[in-house]
Amino acid sequence: MRPVALVAGGMAKFGVRSATWKELVQEAGKATFDAAPGLRKEEVDSLFVGAAEPERFAFQSHVAPLAAEQLGIRPWRMVQRVELACASGQAAIRSAWLAVATGLSDVALVLGVEKMNIPDPGELQTSMACVLDREWDGVHGASAPPFFALCAQRHMHEYGTTREHLTAVRLKAGKYGQHNPYAHYPRFFPREKVESSTMIAPPLRLLDCSGITDGAAGVLLTSAERARQLTDAPLHVWGGAQAVEGHNLASMRSWSTWLPCRRAAQEACKLAGIAPKDVDVAQVHDCFTISEVIVTEDLGFCEKGKGGAFIAGGQTEIGGEVAINTDGGLLARGHPIGATGVAQAVELLWQVQRKVPAQRQAPDTDVLLAHNLSGSANAHSVMVYGSQPRRA
Amino acid sequence: MRPVALVAGGMAKFGVRSATWKELVQEAGKATFDAAPGLRKEEVDSLFVGAAEPERFAFQSHVAPLAAEQLGIRPWRMVQRVELACASGQAAIRSAWLAVATGLSDVALVLGVEKMNIPDPGELQTSMACVLDREWDGVHGASAPPFFALCAQRHMHEYGTTREHLTAVRLKAGKYGQHNPYAHYPRFFPREKVESSTMIAPPLRLLDCSGITDGAAGVLLTSAERARQLTDAPLHVWGGAQAVEGHNLASMRSWSTWLPCRRAAQEACKLAGIAPKDVDVAQVHDCFTISEVIVTEDLGFCEKGKGGAFIAGGQTEIGGEVAINTDGGLLARGHPIGATGVAQAVELLWQVQRKVPAQRQAPDTDVLLAHNLSGSANAHSVMVYGSQPRRA
């Protein structure tokens, strides 16, 4: 396959927005095109929209052509919406990568979007529960917070992970998130605020949870050859994989080790020709503080069971072993589910392009990784990128 | 890209089913795996689910991992649901094709599914209207039947298309559909039945419309090289494209010529290195009788405006210029929207494999084409296949 790179990225402001679904698409789309002045809109032959539940949150289906109209483009090679719940964004990027890699597409736009603040919070809750197996788990009250709370309890039981470890994740999110103008929560929350925030599902408190956020983000992909004409610093795709195992909660082999995360990371790293220790900057799916602890382990950044200490010891900050969630992650940025995976890619691209505020700019940006999870942590998606073309 | 082929296809019975969404997946999945005895389930590294509105019809999101669990597989390369409303099935096949073409996937399963017969018909109607731009068109009562009825009126006005031409499409659907055991309506409806059926939206009567159908279908894709070990008669992918133009009804440049259909067909034929006249067997998206008339023209099978006469003259039957909808098409098979594109591919594969009843087996099956449309006919998807590897 021919080498592919991301050349431009743009974001809508994340938060509780009065903007509609369509307006979020327009805002992120304009920002993305503005970041690629050397490219004409007419060159976009393919569009991939990452969106999880527009049918429920925006009462709108057929959303890829709908987005194309908002963006003023008429693609003629690939036009589709990709859904993988909370990992829809990265799934859309993976599809765009392959379309460009085959040569079917020359310029592909990926647009991740979700409008989650809807008038009826009850409708939102039941819609989110259908990300799980509704007939087996949703009907019993399972949804994201209680599920991840159970994972946290099990991880604490097995490995001695503590409240302080979870707090460390949130402190880091605030440390970097306060310098992210696109974030839903662009401020630092001190320890006492985190540990006294409302209990949601023990041990997870309000500030252990990512937000209910409206947002959209876009990236443009093209061949590595063309990329050179468009930017001095493209983000080269080196590899990617998605792994899934089971779906209903009773079928999970482990709640404290996420086996499909290990599998996806191993496959993606193998394809990219790297080891986890090679990664300079990573964006991981911290939908809850415990998620960042578990995936820091299962992505291979530290020994199993030591994620909490690794994070609390500063090893995932800029200057540590691997800089994780340099934009504040889902905890600070918010989690408009279809947009998250695309926003992660935008941050990695901007890290390579030296476009972020100095307080959250990593010095080394040679090898980069994005991790997106979905459902009952039964599906994990990993992409590996480099600031240079992949080593042969 | 490396050459790719479809090696096995399977169907659930289409119709008004008591089966749930999950059971439809299981039924079509089993049929698909049964058709590939040389393949082990464990080899399926990628899964693409074509589904339009499971969030509304089955109240279930994250449906690709959910389907993986029903199928008993654990893919580790690509796992996603692809949505393009009524063309979701073919969009999923296109994605699977690229995944195998790049080498990222070795064996990919595509599963198209929709459960449309739900307890509340009003909920179904409003959900179907959100395939259009709901804010501009859905709120004014636009949905599929009135939209396609307006297209028919315009086509009749501009080109002299008649009631008899529409009837000819339905007669052909019954002629072949009566020999399709998987069809929702496996019987022949005579002229007087068609022309006296309930008026839905003038000039379209009940028998001019495809059904509200539950169904699922699956196909397995692998490299052309591996395909030779699995079947004597694979269906080789030669090319494919999707084109989109506009979304809300006011932005359509023409109602009687579907410009994105022309564009997608031209692109797909160019990639495949064929002309429309080379096609032996085609599956086209006859969601309404008028659709088959218009796309028969815009795919390039006959002169613009002459589609009705071409069909009424028998040129799209077996033995004519091109055999169209040899399984009865959407009119007879029914239209479970996410499954339709996959069922079309199953029929083309079975034509090549000589698996269909003699009454609907085309003698020549060298070059084959599938056409799937979606939304306000603003998005069109075309795949071109061959019984042999693509000529260099």
Side-chain angles (χ1 to χ4, degrees), chain A residues 76-78 102-105, chain B residues 1-6 90-91 93-98 101 221 235-243 263-275 279 299 345 348 366-372 380-391:
Chain A
W76 62 94
R77 286 293 172 85
M78 295 275 284
T102 58
L104 185 67
S105 169
Chain B
M1 29 174 160
R2 68 171 172 173
V4 176
L6 281 66
Q90 191 186 111
I93 291 174
R94 189 171 292 95
S95 291
W97 163 41
L98 296 186
L221 288 85
L235 185 67
H236 295 269
V237 181
W238 283 8
Q242 290 172 322
R263 185 80 194 265
Q266 284 161 2
E267 290 290 328
C269 288
K270 191 172 72 183
L271 288 166
I274 64 145
V279 176
L299 289 170
L348 295 181
D366 296 334
V367 182
L368 310 94
L369 181 147
H371 161 270
N372 219 186
H380 290 258
S381 304
V382 175
M383 293 288 287
V384 177
Y385 301 100
S387 61
Q388 301 298 322
R390 185 188 180 306
R391 294 164 286 213

Side-chain angles (χ1 to χ4, degrees), chain A residues 253-378:
Chain A
R253 286 193 287 164
S254 169
W255 291 58
S256 55
T257 298
W258 290 340
L259 298 166
C261 180
R262 292 189 165 193
R263 184 80 194 265
Q266 285 161 2
E267 291 290 327
C269 288
K270 191 171 72 181
L271 288 167
I274 65 145
K277 67 170 171 41
D278 299 328
V279 175
D280 298 309
V281 183
Q283 289 282 307
V284 310
H285 192 101
D286 59 327
C287 46
F288 297 89
T289 49
I290 185 62
S291 313
E292 184 163 330
V293 174
I294 296 179
V295 303
T296 297
E297 299 167 357
D298 290 332
L299 289 170
F301 292 134
C302 70
E303 204 182 319
K304 185 66 208 173
K306 307 285 194 204
F310 190 71
I311 294 163
Q315 292 303 329
T316 62
E317 296 182 24
I318 293 167
E321 293 266 343
V322 52
I324 290 183
N325 290 350
T326 46
D327 66 349
L330 283 62
L331 289 167
R333 191 177 62 231
H335 184 26
I337 51 183
T340 285
V342 182
Q344 291 180 323
V346 171
E347 171 65 9
L348 294 181
L349 175 63
W350 285 355
Q351 284 283 334
V352 166
Q353 294 183 328
R354 297 289 190 266
K355 278 193 176 175
V356 304
Q359 299 93 332
R360 61 185 185 88
Q361 174 69 56
D364 299 321
T365 56
D366 296 334
V367 182
L368 311 95
L369 181 147
H371 163 269
N372 218 186
L373 72 78
S374 49
S376 54
N378 64 322

Side-chain angles (χ1 to χ4, degrees), chain B residues 232-277:
Chain B
D232 293 336
L235 185 67
H236 295 269
V237 181
W238 283 8
Q242 290 172 322
V244 60
E245 181 181 314
H247 198 285
N248 83 55
L249 301 186
S251 73
M252 290 187 73
R253 286 192 286 163
S254 169
W255 291 58
S256 54
T257 298
W258 291 340
L259 298 167
C261 179
R262 291 189 166 193
R263 185 80 194 265
Q266 284 161 2
E267 290 290 328
C269 288
K270 191 172 72 183
L271 288 166
I274 64 145
K277 67 170 172 38

Side-chain angles (χ1 to χ4, degrees), chain B residues 33-172:
Chain B
F33 283 119
D34 284 352
L39 199 79
R40 287 173 303 109
K41 266 186 176 184
E42 294 71 24
E43 296 180 68
V44 175
D45 60 34
S46 299
L47 171 67
F48 298 85
V49 174
E53 295 195 50
E55 295 86 352
R56 297 210 69 86
F57 302 149
F59 208 164
Q60 189 66 63
S61 180
H62 205 225
V63 296
L66 183 69
E69 181 163 71
Q70 308 315 309
L71 297 163
I73 58 174
R74 295 175 177 176
W76 63 94
R77 287 294 173 84
M78 295 276 283
V79 185
Q80 58 182 233
R81 169 258 195 127
V82 178
E83 183 264 311
L84 188 63
C86 303
S88 298
Q90 191 186 111
I93 291 174
R94 189 171 292 95
S95 291
W97 163 41
L98 296 186
V100 177
T102 59
L104 185 66
S105 170
D106 283 317
V107 180
L109 173 64
V110 177
L111 206 297
V113 53
E114 213 79 47
K115 171 71 187 174
M116 299 189 67
N117 288 283
I118 58 177
D120 177 359
E123 170 79 9
L124 179 78
Q125 282 307 318
T126 50
S127 297
M128 284 302 294
C130 85
V131 166
L132 302 180
D133 187 318
R134 189 178 56 81
E135 294 167 332
W136 281 80
D137 299 316
V139 292
H140 300 299
S143 67
F147 167 73
F148 287 95
L150 289 170
C151 292
Q153 292 193 8
R154 187 71 200 172
H155 202 272
M156 289 170 148
H157 171 73
E158 282 184 37
Y159 300 112
T161 295
T162 64
R163 173 66 252 176
E164 289 66 37
H165 291 149
L166 302 181
T167 301
V169 174
R170 191 61 187 84
L171 293 176
K172 179 169 68 69

